[in-house]
Amino acid sequence: MTGDGFDPDDFETRAIHAGWEPDQETGAIMPPIYASSTFAQDAPGEDRGYEYSRTGNPTRTALEDNLASLEGGEYGRAFASGMAAINTVLNLLEAGDHVVVGRDVYGGTHRLFTGVYEDYDLEFSFVDATDSDVVAEAITDETALVWIETPTNPLMQIVDIEAVSAVASERDTLLAVDNTFATPYLQRPLEHGADIVAHSLTKYLGGHSDVVGGALVTDDEQLDERFGYYQNSVGATPDPFGCFLVLRGTKTLPVRMDRHSENARQLATWLDDQPAVETVYYPGLASHPGHEVAAAQMDDFGGMLSVDLAADLDAVREFVSATEVFTLAESLGGVESLLEHPATMTHAAVPAPERRETGITDGLVRLSVGLESVEDLQADLEQALAGTVDSDR
């Protein structure tokens, strides 16, 4: 539990202080990195709150409490990666269960669902989650979970969390929301009816491209107890140093997300006017079909955007290799700007016909807009476009 006592409206204060108070013995401001695999017990079975670091570690507890506070939840659990967190949610299910999934999801999520868990007799239906009626039609008597992202990866679609929550709740089905792109600074799915919030801590919450981790947050004590059981049993837990790094990242999350959002908004507006760009996917643009829903459930629109260059694959490969400030790399959410080609990188595991049906074309490029000078970022994209993509279409 969070137990932090901070005003729930003071996100910036909680980002810095929730989960840890200065050490009473030493006065240390930052939580120590408890690099201990085991902990002394006063008598057999009588520990002081910790017994073994897979089961629990004080540095990890500080992070889990911090994350729960930021999401406005009661309980948080940290994992070795975002995929380990998602896998833990699927551990709730039984053979024969059915899952409704938003069609546009991270390629690793798609791979886990179809390449691993379908072998254990789970069924997955990938649908257009931006339409809650479509979600409702997909739910069957065997449906145990609805899984969505918003904004989605990589098409930046917006799912109305409250509308999908109402549908899931009516059918007594759990709703899990991957909140990685938005972060709790911009969107808190529990406030809109979600049962579970998932994060890749590797991204904005860590914020510096130097740690891999995942998290789950919930208000449901029974769900949290099951997450804790699987966390300990499977052992996909983060090391204390990784937890320390993410805690460092959450302290600056508000100021970083403000700058990410500002830079992305300016670049999206500029890109929308470029002849070489056919479509810009950014929920902060008034032309985005999910703009109104995003404005209602998000406090800003984030640092992620995608563009469809409607160019052939060779030209797109040249473009993503021609930038000098943007770095061609997978992942996102660090202080540096990255770009990647979903069809051959993050979503290569999704079969090509399914990619095309979803809208992931060979011309789609995803940008993680960092904290550099926006003028430098724009100039970089401009020179890359001019040198590789026909702008006279």
Side-chain angles (χ1 to χ4, degrees), residues 99-162:
V99 183
V100 176
V101 189
R103 179 175 292 155
D104 186 33
V105 292
Y106 169 52
T109 302
H110 185 283
R111 179 177 55 223
L112 177 69
F113 289 0
T114 62
V116 177
Y117 274 93
E118 281 187 348
D119 291 342
Y120 292 90
D121 198 23
L122 293 182
E123 180 184 358
F124 298 88
S125 296
F126 292 85
V127 305
D128 179 7
T130 65
D131 188 336
S132 59
D133 290 337
V134 171
V135 175
E137 291 174 3
I139 294 176
T140 70
D141 291 341
E142 286 72 42
T143 305
L145 175 69
V146 175
W147 182 276
I148 62 173
E149 299 174 358
T150 184
T152 64
N153 182 4
L155 292 173
M156 310 302 152
Q157 295 176 347
I158 299 298
V159 179
D160 187 329
I161 301 172
E162 287 190 4

Side-chain angles (χ1 to χ4, degrees), residues 225-256:
E225 288 178 354
R226 294 180 71 184
F227 291 156
Y229 179 82
Y230 296 132
Q231 184 188 48
N232 181 48
S233 299
V234 176
T237 51
D239 65 273
F241 182 58
C243 293
F244 176 87
L245 290 176
V246 179
L247 272 170
R248 178 205 58 183
T250 62
K251 292 178 184 296
T252 61
L253 180 67
V255 292
R256 287 188 289 106

Side-chain angles (χ1 to χ4, degrees), residues 341-393:
H341 184 237
T344 58
M345 296 171 69
T346 56
H347 290 70
V350 180
E354 192 170 341
R355 285 201 309 267
R356 288 191 289 269
E357 183 181 359
T358 301
I360 302 173
T361 68
D362 285 347
L364 188 73
V365 177
R366 191 191 72 186
L367 286 74
S368 174
V369 181
L371 308 186
E372 301 94 339
S373 159
V374 71
E375 290 79 12
D376 289 341
L377 295 175
Q378 179 177 316
D380 189 36
L381 294 176
E382 187 170 21
Q383 65 83 21
L385 285 170
T388 61
V389 181
D390 181 8
S391 62
D392 297 324
R393 291 183 295 107

